[in-house]
Amino acid sequence: MAKSSVEKQTSNLMGQEVSVSEQPKEQVKNAISFQVGRVAFNKAVSLVGLGLPSKDFGDATCGIMMSIDEDKLSELTLCTNSIEVFVRTKIKLDQKGKAGSICPNGNIMSAVVGRLRTMKNPINVDYLSDTDVLNVTCGTEYEGKIAHYDTVGFYMPPTNEEIKEYPEMSIPIRLIKRALNEVAFAASKDKTNIQLTGIFFDQDSNGMNIVASDSLRISIIQYKSKINEPKSVVLSINHLELISKVLRTLDIDDSEVVKLYITDDMAYFISDNTTVGFQTYGNSYFDEYKQFVVEPSQCKIIMRFDRERFLNLLTLAMSHNYSSTDAITLKLLDVRNGVFENVATSVSNSNAFSIPFDVKSVKKGAGEEKAKKFSIMVNPQFLVDVLSKVTSKEVDIGLIDYTDGPAAVFPVGEENTGKYLHVFSLTE
C-alpha cells in the first residue's frame, strides 16, 4: 500500500490496539500488480492462511491483505488478521510491482494458489479498482477472477518496530511442544475461568513452570534455567498449536528459542520476515498453584510400574465400564502384586473384572515404618491421560494418603529435559 495513501486511525477492539487502513477517494484507482513465483507465493499464502478464522464472516477479517509499498516495489506483504490472531509475512517479487493493496477472500485465494503451484509459469496478480476485479493468471495455463473485500475493513496490526518495544519473554521450542503434549490435556474445558483453559508459562529467576489444570488435576513441567528478567503469561492451547505450525512451516529447529513480545493481552512472535500475534489470557493463574507441587518425599507410598504394561491393563479394565470416567478399584495386595477390580453392584453396571498387575517396586515415605496394603477408588481416565502422554519406560505413582489422595505421577529418568509432575484427585 502506498504510504501517501494511508491514513492511520487508532481504535480499541477486544482490548487490542489496531490501525484501520483507509485510501482517500481520489486515490482509490491506485492499482496493485505483481508477478511472483508459484512455490514462494503458495508457501506465503499457506502461512498467513493459518491466521484465517474458522468461520467465513463475509468481511475483511476473512481476507488476505496483499500490499506493496511505493518505496519497496520488489517486496510483497501478505497478512491475515481475525483480531484474535494475525499472521504477516513478506516475500520478494520476481520483478518490481505496482504499489497498492487488495484483500481477496482467504480461503478462495489459498485454494487457487495451492493448485497453481504445479503449473509452469509465474503467477501474475492485477487489480484495477475501476473494474473492481482481481485478475489472477499463470501464463496461458490459468486465468481467473477472485472475490475480494474492501481494504478499509482490514485492521492493520502493529509494525515489527512497534512490537519490539514490548517486554520480551523467551521459551525453548521443545518446551512449547512438551506443553502441548504433556500438560495441555489437563487444562479445563469450562470457559467460566478462561485462564484455566490455557497453559501458564510462569518464570522466576531459577527457571520456568509450565502449568495446566482443570481444578481436579494439575500437570506441571519444571524447567530449571537462569532467567534474568522473568515474565509470566497464559497462552491459549489453540495459539500454541498455531505457533507450532508456523515453526514447522518456517523449518525452525526444535533446539531454537522462541522470543515472545508480551503486552497485557497480546503476545507476538517474529522470525525473519514472518510475524504472528495472538491474544493471551493475561499473566496470572489461580492463586498459589505451587502448593499443589508434590515431591516424592511427601507421599506415604510410591509404586513403580512398567508404564506401557500398566497402561494396557488399565485400559483393559476401563473397557468393562460404560464411561471412561467410571471409577475402578485399585488394590495393592503386597509389594509385588496388585489388582484392578470392579464388583457388579447395580443393574446399570453389571460388568465385573479382576485384572492382576505387577509392581516393580514399592517405597514407603512420609514417616511410614512400612508400606501398607490398600484399596482405593480411582478415576482411570486421569491416569490414562498422563500415562499415554509421557515417554518414560517407567513411572512412579505416589499416594499422599492411603484413602483420600491425591495421587501423583512422576515419570522416571526425564530430569534432563525438565521435571514433570501430574497430580490428580482420586475419584472426582
Side-chain angles (χ1 to χ4, degrees), residues 37-47 110 113-115 117 123:
R38 304 179 316 279
V39 176
F41 195 40
N42 178 61
K43 182 176 180 179
V45 169
S46 298
L47 184 61
S110 298
V113 173
R115 295 297 181 183
R117 75 183 186 278
I123 295 174

Side-chain angles (χ1 to χ4, degrees), residues 320-340:
H320 293 77
N321 291 337
Y322 291 104
S323 168
S324 62
T325 58
D326 285 347
I328 65 172
T329 301
L330 186 154
K331 291 183 177 181
L332 181 67
L333 304 180
D334 56 50
V335 294
R336 291 294 178 185
N337 300 286
V339 63
F340 295 122

Side-chain angles (χ1 to χ4, degrees), residues 137-372:
T137 60
C138 192
T140 59
E141 300 171 285
Y142 172 82
E143 180 178 352
K145 305 180 189 306
I146 296 179
H148 60 89
Y149 305 106
D150 190 339
T151 56
V152 172
F154 189 89
Y155 296 98
M156 299 301 292
T159 65
N160 284 2
E161 290 71 23
E162 292 170 331
I163 290 171
K164 289 180 179 179
E165 295 296 320
Y166 301 138
E168 298 178 9
M169 179 179 185
S170 296
I171 303 176
I173 292 176
R174 68 180 184 278
L175 289 185
I176 291 177
K177 295 190 173 182
R178 284 196 66 191
L180 288 170
N181 185 55
E182 294 181 26
V183 306
F185 66 86
S188 175
K189 304 298 187 293
D190 182 2
K191 294 186 178 180
T192 303
N193 187 337
I194 196 69
Q195 282 85 357
L196 292 187
T197 66
I199 297 177
F200 187 38
F201 291 80
D202 185 28
Q203 294 180 341
D204 59 33
S205 59
N206 295 317
M208 176 168 58
N209 289 333
I210 303 172
V211 189
S213 176
D214 62 3
S215 76
L216 294 177
R217 55 182 170 173
I218 185 169
S219 286
I220 303 175
I221 294 173
Q222 297 173 302
Y223 176 70
K224 298 298 182 183
S225 178
K226 293 297 181 183
I227 298 177
N228 294 327
E229 297 182 8
K231 303 288 187 303
S232 297
V233 65
V234 183
L235 299 179
S236 160
I237 292 171
N238 291 338
H239 296 159
L240 283 172
E241 290 173 343
L242 170 64
I243 292 177
S244 185
K245 289 177 182 177
V246 170
L247 294 172
R248 287 199 302 270
T249 303
L250 297 176
D251 297 322
I252 297 177
D253 191 82
D254 287 359
S255 62
E256 299 294 325
V257 174
V258 166
K259 183 184 293 184
L260 296 180
Y261 299 89
I262 306 292
T263 70
D264 288 340
D265 59 356
M266 292 289 294
Y268 303 91
F269 159 64
I270 299 174
S271 176
D272 295 328
N273 292 324
T274 299
T275 306
V276 180
F278 46 90
Q279 285 189 321
T280 70
Y281 298 153
N283 56 11
S284 63
Y285 210 55
F286 66 84
D287 293 338
E288 301 299 330
Y289 79 86
K290 292 182 180 179
Q291 68 181 299
F292 298 102
V293 174
V294 174
E295 297 294 336
S297 60
Q298 296 174 260
C299 299
K300 288 192 174 181
I301 186 171
I302 298 176
M303 301 164 287
R304 180 162 295 183
F305 300 95
D306 179 290
R307 181 189 63 82
E308 186 172 353
R309 177 163 176 77
F310 187 76
L311 176 60
N312 288 340
L313 294 175
L314 180 60
T315 52
L316 174 61
M318 291 171 65
S319 66
H320 293 77
N321 291 337
Y322 291 104
S323 168
S324 62
T325 58
D326 285 347
I328 65 172
T329 301
L330 186 154
K331 291 183 177 181
L332 181 67
L333 304 180
D334 56 50
V335 294
R336 291 294 178 185
N337 300 286
V339 63
F340 295 122
E341 187 175 87
N342 188 33
V343 179
T345 57
S346 68
V347 175
S348 62
N349 187 2
S350 58
N351 299 313
F353 56 85
S354 179
I355 302 173
F357 58 78
D358 299 326
V359 184
K360 299 200 74 171
S361 65
V362 172
K363 295 181 180 179
K364 63 181 179 63
E368 292 294 307
E369 294 183 2
K370 63 179 181 178
K372 298 178 181 178

